Amino acid sequence: MSARVTRRLVNNFAFLTVGYFFVRLITMAATLYIARALGPGDFGGLSSGVNIALVLGVVANLGLADYLVLAIARAPEDSNALLGDAFQVKIIVLPFALLGAVLLRFYDPEFGLLFFIMIIHGLFHSYLLLFWAVFRGLERMEFQTLLMIMQAVITAVGSTIVIWLTRNATLAAVVYMIASISTVVVGYLLLLKKGIRPTYRWRLDAWKKLLKTALPFGMIFVYLIIFDRLPAVLLPLLSPKADAGWFNSVYTITTVLVTIPSVIMAVVFPLMARESQQSLHSVGQISNTVIKSTIIIGLGLAFTLFIMAPWLIPFLFGDAYLPSITIMQILAISIPFTFLIITLINMLEAVGQQHICARYTGYTLLFAVPVCVVFVWQWGYLGSAVAYLINNVLLATLLLWLVGKMIGNVRLKRAALLPFMAGLVPGLSVYFLRQWPFYALLPVVILLYLVLLLVTGAIGAPEMEMVRKVLQSRSKPQPASASGLPLGNEDGSNLP
């Protein structure tokens, strides 16, 4: 990659990383206060409404957001027509969402109004996801970050103030709705300012084709949600309630870490989608670097969590959560494979293989469901953690095979095997020296891991060259973008 491309990737990664972690931080702080102020009952209603809105926001997109990133990265000049068609196709979701709101009102009269407001919030949020997709496709992640932070600040600050003044969960839901509506308005104006004007036309055949192409992206998301949440869903049904509490407390920590590969692939995805039109050879080179980097980061985090679990769990949750220590250590082993799953699925989508990716993810889900049921039923919270690990290893292995088959020039031996080989000795050291205090064991293991990464060649000349390009590009003045062009480049083109 050229120094300019490398610099752009690094800058986009920095914008999204700061944005994601800021949003998570301010959301977590607001949630802790609201949970204490409302109590379990009202907070349970509000949190259920938030979950309904988030699921609706993603499902209502019918896979359109992920497809927009792919299509716009390849042909940014089609942004206006694609976005207009996506807006119109999404209208079919509206009657189903409103019907769901009415049914929820009858099912739960106490929180019916709250759920109705949250469904409106979810619908507007689904449009916001399309805006984010456009900016990712154009590789202008700073605009997505701006909208993310705006929505999070309005939601967190506003709902906290409302709860402080009124202790009313429904009024807090109104704040969520206002935040999504206002952010959608700002996002639309930002699109117009950058020269992106959705075109609205009656094109029934184009809508059918768009929906048919985008649906596999939506199916993959649904499969992954079910796949990832199976243990958390089955535990309350098949085990004592305490088991679910022990598992979910740790599972929440691991879901935060998933932000890392998600941000990496959000940045790399447009580049891979564009390069795949020219040559799968260059896509393979990018894939090698990303796969290797993902595994290296995942293994480092796995060692860290495994070592720190005996101290971290009592510190965060208290002695009542001591069984969660073993759960965290098992889930820590699954982190590299979870990272790989997110990375490899995005790679397959970037080269237009979403159909086969959806098919094989569905096949794996058919295996994962009975495994989870049996393990949770027989061994409770420990069984759920082991089943989670087994299923993630299986899906990651299957996706590695698919990537090797569908993308040329992917050297799985160097990209995947070398980092795991480098992590073998540190991993054994973690297990056999686990009685050491974490402040002594952690630096020893990380240092050993870094040395073995260099010795095995897992970190070598390509990685050093990338760092050199980044530093070199930052030391040179960058030419200004051509004025008057929508999200234009230095060369005056509309390509990201």
Side-chain angles (χ1 to χ4, degrees):
M1 290 185 293
S2 67
R4 191 184 70 173
V5 172
T6 303
R7 175 186 171 87
R8 185 171 61 212
L9 290 175
V10 172
N11 287 342
N12 286 335
F13 178 76
F15 275 117
L16 280 185
T17 301
V18 171
Y20 272 113
F21 279 99
F22 177 81
V23 167
R24 287 189 178 275
L25 180 63
I26 192 172
T27 302
M28 182 178 66
T31 300
L32 289 174
Y33 172 78
I34 293 172
R36 290 176 179 270
L38 288 180
D42 286 346
F43 178 72
L46 180 61
S47 60
S48 297
V50 171
N51 288 328
I52 290 171
L54 290 177
V55 172
L56 175 63
V58 178
V59 173
N61 272 323
L62 306 170
L64 291 166
D66 289 332
Y67 174 67
L68 280 181
V69 180
L70 174 66
I72 291 174
R74 290 178 171 179
E77 66 276 6
D78 296 335
S79 301
N80 295 342
L82 282 169
L83 192 55
D85 288 342
F87 284 166
Q88 291 169 290
V89 167
K90 276 168 50 63
I91 293 176
I92 65 175
V93 178
L94 182 60
F96 296 101
L98 294 178
L99 176 61
V102 172
L103 293 176
L104 284 172
R105 181 65 184 268
F106 283 106
Y107 177 76
D108 191 343
E110 182 181 0
F111 293 107
L113 180 58
L114 184 151
F115 292 155
F116 179 80
I117 294 170
M118 279 300 191
I119 284 176
I120 297 175
H121 156 60
L123 288 172
F124 276 94
H125 184 71
S126 71
Y127 282 93
L128 188 59
L129 293 178
L130 294 183
F131 298 167
W132 295 354
V134 172
F135 289 131
R136 287 205 306 277
L138 295 167
E139 294 187 84
R140 298 302 298 264
M141 280 63 168
E142 64 269 27
F143 297 116
Q144 176 181 343
T145 301
L146 173 64
L147 294 176
M148 284 169 50
I149 292 176
M150 175 183 171
Q151 185 186 34
V153 169
I154 295 174
T155 301
V157 176
S159 60
T160 299
I161 293 174
V162 165
I163 295 299
W164 176 54
L165 294 174
T166 69
R167 297 296 194 271
N168 190 310
T170 303
L171 289 179
V174 173
V175 174
Y176 278 80
M177 182 181 67
I178 292 173
S180 60
I181 293 174
S182 57
T183 309
V184 164
V185 171
V186 172
Y188 197 85
L189 293 175
L190 188 58
L191 288 172
L192 296 178
K193 183 179 179 181
K194 296 302 174 183
I196 302 170
R197 292 173 171 80
T199 54
Y200 305 102
R201 293 170 291 176
W202 182 265
R203 305 197 308 165
L204 190 59
D205 290 338
W207 298 346
K208 290 180 180 178
K209 183 178 179 181
L210 176 62
L211 191 59
K212 182 179 178 180
T213 307
L215 272 179
F217 290 99
M219 291 171 62
I220 291 171
F221 172 80
V222 172
Y223 289 157
L224 286 180
I225 286 291
I226 298 173
F227 183 89
D228 199 63
R229 300 296 173 95
L230 265 176
V233 171
L234 290 173
L235 270 172
L237 302 176
L238 302 176
S239 293
K241 291 183 178 179
D243 285 18
W246 291 329
F247 180 88
N248 288 329
S249 61
V250 174
Y251 174 75
T252 302
I253 297 174
T254 61
T255 56
V256 174
L257 297 177
V258 170
T259 301
I260 297 172
S262 299
V263 170
I264 292 174
M265 289 313 301
V267 172
V268 177
F269 189 98
L271 175 64
M272 294 187 67
R274 191 169 59 250
E275 291 292 329
S276 67
Q277 290 184 295
Q278 307 299 326
S279 169
L280 285 179
H281 180 82
S282 58
V283 174
Q285 293 179 323
I286 299 170
S287 300
N288 289 326
T289 301
V290 174
I291 291 172
K292 183 165 58 174
S293 302
T294 298
I295 296 174
I296 289 173
I297 295 171
L299 284 171
L301 289 171
F303 297 146
T304 302
L305 275 186
F306 193 100
I307 291 170
M308 297 192 66
W311 171 82
L312 190 62
I313 293 299
F315 175 77
L316 291 177
F317 305 107
D319 291 341
Y321 284 83
L322 289 179
S324 298
I325 294 174
T326 305
I327 299 174
M328 174 174 272
Q329 291 177 327
I330 296 173
L331 294 187
I333 301 172
S334 72
I335 287 176
F337 303 99
T338 306
F339 279 23
L340 265 180
I341 290 170
I342 296 170
T343 300
L344 298 171
I345 283 177
N346 276 272
M347 286 180 179
L348 290 168
E349 291 178 342
V351 298
Q353 296 294 336
Q354 63 270 18
H355 292 84
I356 192 169
C357 184
R359 186 191 314 159
Y360 279 91
T361 305
Y363 294 158
T364 309
L365 184 60
L366 293 177
F367 172 84
V369 171
V371 168
C372 276
V373 170
V374 172
F375 275 64
V376 172
W377 182 33
Q378 291 292 322
W379 297 289
Y381 64 88
L382 288 179
S384 66
V386 173
Y388 186 85
L389 173 60
I390 292 173
N391 291 335
N392 275 271
V393 171
L394 174 66
L395 183 55
T397 304
L398 179 63
L399 290 172
L400 274 172
W401 172 76
L402 276 179
V403 166
K405 183 179 179 181
M406 297 296 166
I407 302 177
N409 197 36
V410 176
R411 295 180 293 175
L412 294 179
K413 181 178 178 180
R414 181 173 183 82
L417 188 58
L418 280 182
F420 278 117
M421 289 177 59
L424 183 60
V425 173
L428 292 174
S429 301
V430 168
Y431 179 76
F432 287 111
L433 302 178
R434 62 186 182 278
Q435 300 302 325
W436 285 23
F438 76 89
Y439 52 81
L441 180 57
L442 184 58
V444 170
V445 169
I446 295 300
L447 179 61
L448 178 61
Y449 179 47
L450 291 174
V451 169
L452 288 173
L453 286 173
L454 293 171
V455 171
T456 59
I459 295 179
E463 290 71 32
M464 299 301 180
E465 178 66 14
M466 180 177 292
V467 173
R468 185 190 67 79
K469 287 180 178 179
V470 174
L471 295 176
Q472 186 181 58
S473 66
R474 288 185 177 278
S475 65
K476 295 179 180 180
Q478 298 296 313
S481 299
S483 61
L485 293 171
L487 304 177
N489 284 326
E490 295 81 1
D491 58 2
S493 71
N494 290 337
L495 291 172

